[in-house]
Amino acid sequence: MTQEEKTMIEGRIVDVIKTVYDPEIPVNVYDLGMIYKIDVRDDGSVDVDMTFTAPNCPAADFILEDVRTKIESVDGVTSVNVNLVFEPAWDQSMMSEEARLELGFD
């Protein structure tokens, strides 16, 4: 797989991740800054590091499964591994400008 193909797949992955929402927050998990890493490998496997706004998120299992399932639906992706990480700890500075505006932080 070429770097250009990986970049295109990563862009499609970002697009589908932007359809995943924490049920308690009206902003998608990507714009909230909860996705730390997307690594597309030559064989089409994908590793994602993500976190939650709080370690005890009641919707954690649902959100993780939604992220994994949606990434698996992207053409060119052969497998997905979603790693839940808490380092660095999430904070409001990780949100996109749009997310901060939507939530009234700016």
Side-chain angles (χ1 to χ4, degrees):
M1 182 179 302
T2 67
Q3 185 58 44
E4 184 177 332
E5 289 170 320
K6 288 184 198 178
T7 301
M8 287 175 48
I9 290 171
E10 185 175 332
R12 291 194 300 264
I13 289 170
V14 169
D15 289 344
V16 298
I17 290 174
K18 285 185 173 187
T19 68
V20 177
Y21 287 79
D22 180 324
E24 297 178 348
I25 306 172
V27 176
N28 69 73
V29 298
Y30 189 84
D31 285 331
L32 281 172
M34 293 168 47
I35 304 297
Y36 287 171
K37 176 186 88 169
I38 301 170
D39 182 24
V40 180
R41 297 206 173 105
D42 289 338
D43 64 356
S45 63
V46 177
D47 279 322
V48 175
D49 287 353
M50 72 173 292
T51 194
F52 290 106
T53 57
N56 57 350
C57 175
D61 291 341
F62 166 78
I63 295 169
L64 286 170
E65 184 62 18
D66 201 19
V67 167
R68 187 186 63 74
T69 302
K70 287 184 175 174
I71 294 172
E72 282 180 340
S73 74
V74 172
D75 285 340
V77 172
T78 58
S79 65
V80 180
N81 182 41
V82 180
N83 304 300
L84 182 58
V85 298
F86 292 102
E87 292 293 327
W90 180 89
D91 67 53
Q92 293 176 2
S93 70
M94 296 172 173
M95 291 189 289
S96 70
E97 182 71 23
E98 294 83 8
R100 284 195 296 279
L101 288 172
E102 176 75 25
L103 297 173
F105 290 117
D106 277 347

